[in-house]
Amino acid sequence: MSLFGENLQYYRKRENMTQEQLAERLEVSRQTVSKWEAGTSYAEMEKLLQLCELFSCDLDTLLRKAASESEIGDNLQHRKHMKEFRQWTTCGVFLLIAAAASYEILEGLGQTSEAVCQTLFMILAIVGILILVVQGLKDSDYRKKHTFIQDFYTQEEKEEFDSHFPARIAAGIGLILVGLLIGVNGESLPLPENMNEEFYYGIFLVIVAIAVSILVYTGMHKQEYDVESYNKENNLKNAEANGAVAVWCGCIMLVATIIFLIAGLVFYLWEICWIVYPIGALLCGIATLILNRQK
């Protein structure tokens, strides 16, 4: 039996298909499929491409690699990539919000110099932005190299995650509401001597950072199990667009940080310059819609 025949038999059995069923899908006879698997004949290019689409594999793997071994390697590699991408993206989002939180908390304590507050804010914000840009480019490169992924997640894995999904989303939303309650009532809450209400605004942002991180991590984990959408939407053009989205959003938020620092350090507009971040987020959303529209 040829390597092509072994792979064809492996993929067919993996999909619980008989030779007759596969032959019907390809509009050939059962004897033709049997000859392919036995290695006495080879499929035409048109049929090979149909097989690749049917089994979500590439032509090189179908003809030249051991499909079972390749699939195990793809499984481990995909899980590793998605886990790292999810963790680092969540970390980047957390740092961006934590940057503003740290500034407000230190301002609220009233015992830290303005220069220290600004430096810490700038360091956390820049690190967060760079993490998001790097991870976006890594994910884009991964998707270019792995345009098809077999759905190797078991039903038990998916059901286990789905059983906890509502609680995690509710926890994230609940934390945001609790943080909002603290932020809105910051002026009314008791404060130790030499402290001001900015401290509670900082606490509000810390809680929001944790809540948003939970929502981002959970949402990305949920998306990982949707392999069908990955295979359907992931082509070279989409992968390039995803990378472009990451670069544009990273640049927008970096410019927002520069404007924030200039407005604060040069013009002393610390009370209102925070608005550049919501505007930056809105521009990121617009950039994402435009780039996705071009796919």
Side-chain angles (χ1 to χ4, degrees), residues 18-19 39 42 52 89 91 93 113 116 137 186 198 207 251 255 257:
T18 65
Q19 289 185 342
Y42 282 84
C52 289
T89 299
C91 178
V93 171
S113 67
V116 172
L137 294 175
E198 274 78 9
I207 296 175
C251 291
V255 170
T257 301

Side-chain angles (χ1 to χ4, degrees), residues 260-294:
F260 177 89
L261 292 175
I262 293 176
L265 293 173
V266 178
F267 300 102
Y268 300 100
L269 299 175
W270 298 110
E271 295 297 328
I272 61 171
C273 61
W274 58 268
I275 199 171
V276 298
Y277 284 102
I279 294 175
L282 179 61
L283 292 176
C284 284
I286 295 174
T288 301
L289 290 174
I290 294 174
L291 292 171
N292 287 337
R293 185 80 173 180
Q294 296 174 352

Side-chain angles (χ1 to χ4, degrees), residues 171-206:
I173 296 174
L175 281 175
I176 291 177
L177 295 176
V178 171
L180 184 61
L181 185 63
I182 294 175
V184 169
N185 296 287
E187 296 180 358
S188 304
L189 296 174
L191 283 168
E193 188 176 355
N194 298 325
M195 288 179 59
N196 55 57
E197 62 273 10
E198 274 78 9
F199 174 80
Y200 287 114
Y201 298 154
I203 297 299
F204 158 66
L205 289 173
V206 169

Side-chain angles (χ1 to χ4, degrees), residues 40-226:
T40 57
S41 68
Y42 282 84
E44 300 174 353
M45 180 57 68
E46 179 185 354
K47 300 303 178 184
L48 290 174
L49 295 176
Q50 286 182 303
L51 288 169
C52 289
E53 183 177 358
L54 178 62
F55 297 128
S56 296
C57 66
D58 57 72
L59 190 61
D60 186 57
T61 299
L62 180 63
L63 297 178
R64 301 173 55 187
K65 299 179 181 179
S68 58
E69 296 178 5
S70 177
E71 193 164 285
I72 293 174
D74 288 343
N75 183 338
L76 297 175
Q77 185 178 14
H78 186 71
R79 288 178 184 270
K80 179 181 178 182
H81 168 74
M82 296 304 290
K83 182 178 180 180
E84 291 181 352
F85 180 56
R86 182 169 65 248
Q87 291 176 338
W88 280 107
T89 299
T90 303
C91 178
V93 171
F94 177 84
L95 286 176
L96 281 174
I97 304 176
S102 65
Y103 183 91
E104 293 292 338
I105 289 176
L106 292 178
E107 279 285 298
L109 293 175
Q111 299 177 355
T112 309
S113 67
E114 189 74 17
V116 172
C117 296
Q118 296 164 4
T119 301
L120 180 59
F121 168 85
M122 184 171 61
I123 291 174
L124 293 178
I126 291 176
V127 171
I129 291 170
L130 293 178
I131 286 175
L132 293 177
V133 171
V134 170
Q135 291 306 309
L137 294 175
K138 282 186 175 181
D139 184 60
S140 176
D141 183 62
Y142 176 84
R143 289 171 178 268
K144 289 178 184 178
K145 296 177 180 177
H146 302 83
T147 55
F148 289 101
I149 294 295
Q150 176 60 33
D151 190 357
F152 36 68
Y153 295 103
T154 64
Q155 190 62 31
E156 290 74 16
E157 283 182 285
K158 296 179 181 179
E159 290 177 355
E160 173 68 17
F161 175 80
D162 287 341
S163 66
H164 299 293
F165 181 75
R168 293 175 183 176
I169 296 298
I173 296 174
L175 281 175
I176 291 177
L177 295 176
V178 171
L180 184 61
L181 185 63
I182 294 175
V184 169
N185 296 287
E187 296 180 358
S188 304
L189 296 174
L191 283 168
E193 188 176 355
N194 298 325
M195 288 179 59
N196 55 57
E197 62 273 10
E198 274 78 9
F199 174 80
Y200 287 114
Y201 298 154
I203 297 299
F204 158 66
L205 289 173
V206 169
I207 296 175
V208 169
I210 296 172
V212 171
S213 297
I214 292 174
L215 294 174
V216 169
Y217 187 91
T218 303
M220 294 182 70
H221 203 175
K222 176 72 171 177
Q223 187 180 29
E224 178 182 348
Y225 291 114
D226 192 3

